[in-house]
Amino acid sequence: MPVSPDKNPATDPARAPAADNDVGAQATTHFGFKTVDEAEKAGLVKGVFNSVADQYDIMNDVMSAGVHRIWKNSLIDSINPRPGMHLLDVAGGTGDIAFRFMAAAPGSTVTVCDINAEMLRVGAERAAKKGYADRSEFVCGDAMKLPFGDRSMDAYTIAFGIRNVTRIEEALAEAYRVLKPGGRFHCLEFSPAVVSVLQGAYDAYSFKFIPAMGQMVAQDRDSYQYLVESIRRFPTPEKFDQMISSVGFSRTNWRSMSAGVVAIHSGTKV
Ligand SMILES: C[S@@+](CC[C@H](N)C(=O)[O-])C[C@H]1O[C@@H](n2cnc3c(N)ncnc32)[C@H](O)[C@@H]1O
């Protein structure tokens, strides 16, 4: 792995490097707390999700004690699902957002796009089991270069995906491009910090409990170490809101949930 000799701050979250504010301008980027060549990051992220694909859904329940379901339902509410709507769910992985959306909007359809074929394979199998195969398609593609036409989507979602993208601004610009005028962008993502009174407990939970559970349940400590480190590198909600505005979205807003653990961001293409 082409990593810099950064000291490893994983055991001391207070030493985590600051979140990148200018990811697109650099030839290097972060992979968790490591610095890597920008060209290498997508492959490293792919390796993480190849490794966890089959255990991904059970690990979500283990890591969040099921609370990710509440967060995802809140994301769906923010879309205001309507019958017949077509949703693009980017970094859609194993289909959790897609299935919730289709359940909420009769006659709706979803394109799930993800860079990882293994995650999509699990998602397509789940769609078949749940009776959603006719209303969903699973497409391999990069959030930074979406294989869809301009102004083709009613709504765009990305849940726990954008922090893995090498150049976040490019993914946001692509979201803007593929949305129809009036279409809305919705993002559910972890925030780098929680309310200060809980920060110590949250750090222990993130850096001790999660990697240990990753090892126990998915036999993969490193991937879950990356996942918690990547959260600390993601911009604050205030900064991310500015990034969404800066690619052209209007009426941007965000709200934090669970004491700041996650935030839901939205913006409209006018
Ligand atoms: C933590 S999972 C989230 C999956 C799903 N959205 C959910 O909430 O359960 C992150 C997903 O982002 C995908 N991903 C990472 N980088 C991506 C990129 N550049 N373009 C598209 N998908 C990407 C990964 O393959 C993985 O499936």
Side-chain angles (χ1 to χ4, degrees):
M1 185 185 295
V3 296
S4 78
D6 287 355
K7 57 184 180 263
N8 178 6
T11 52
D12 181 1
R15 285 164 47 203
D20 276 355
N21 290 338
D22 57 348
V23 173
Q26 298 175 348
T28 60
T29 187
H30 52 81
F31 175 71
F33 289 167
K34 301 181 179 82
T35 299
V36 299
D37 288 345
E38 230 183 44
E40 309 286 343
K41 177 162 172 169
L44 294 169
V45 169
K46 206 178 266 187
V48 166
F49 290 101
N50 274 342
S51 169
V52 304
D54 284 313
Q55 305 299 330
Y56 177 77
D57 294 301
I58 188 162
M59 271 301 289
N60 277 347
D61 279 327
V62 169
M63 287 188 305
S64 72
V67 176
H68 74 106
R69 295 163 186 265
I70 296 170
W71 298 331
K72 287 173 175 170
N73 287 340
S74 295
L75 178 71
I76 300 301
D77 289 345
S78 78
I79 304 170
N80 188 20
R82 296 181 300 284
M85 216 172 158
H86 184 73
L87 172 70
L88 172 62
D89 183 38
V90 174
T94 59
D96 254 14
I97 300 303
F99 305 143
R100 283 177 164 75
F101 177 77
M102 287 186 280
S108 61
T109 50
V110 181
T111 298
V112 178
C113 178
D114 198 286
I115 205 167
N116 189 296
E118 275 302 292
M119 293 290 279
L120 291 172
R121 175 189 59 77
V122 175
E125 286 170 8
R126 293 177 78 205
K129 280 192 197 128
K130 289 172 181 283
Y132 286 129
D134 293 347
R135 291 168 60 192
S136 56
E137 60 173 352
F138 290 78
V139 177
C140 209
D142 189 334
M144 298 191 301
K145 198 170 171 43
L146 292 172
F148 309 112
D150 299 355
R151 298 180 294 282
S152 56
M153 303 291 171
D154 295 324
Y156 173 112
T157 48
I158 184 162
F160 304 122
I162 204 157
R163 75 178 190 280
N164 299 295
V165 171
T166 306
R167 292 182 295 279
I168 292 172
E169 290 88 344
E170 287 182 25
L172 294 173
E174 279 290 87
Y176 192 85
R177 179 183 68 76
V178 301
L179 276 168
K180 294 176 184 171
R184 272 181 74 74
F185 165 89
H186 307 269
C187 176
L188 169 62
E189 190 51 271
F190 290 105
S191 300
V194 299
V195 293
S196 53
V197 70
L198 294 179
Q199 191 65 50
Y202 186 59
D203 287 344
Y205 165 81
S206 299
F207 291 98
K208 294 200 166 73
F209 177 76
I210 298 281
M213 290 311 292
Q215 179 61 35
M216 198 180 300
V217 177
Q219 287 77 54
D220 186 351
R221 183 183 195 92
D222 290 351
S223 291
Y224 285 91
Q225 182 75 33
Y226 158 73
L227 291 174
V228 294
E229 290 179 4
S230 65
I231 291 169
R232 304 309 171 100
R233 301 303 305 262
F234 193 67
T236 62
E238 291 83 356
K239 170 65 185 165
F240 188 50
D241 182 69
Q242 286 169 14
M243 293 168 74
I244 296 167
S245 297
S246 72
V247 301
F249 284 108
S250 303
R251 290 171 38 214
T252 64
N253 56 55
W254 58 274
R255 69 186 173 98
S256 285
M257 298 177 68
S258 302
V261 172
V262 300
I264 294 177
H265 291 259
S266 301
T268 304
K269 175 172 177 175
V270 289

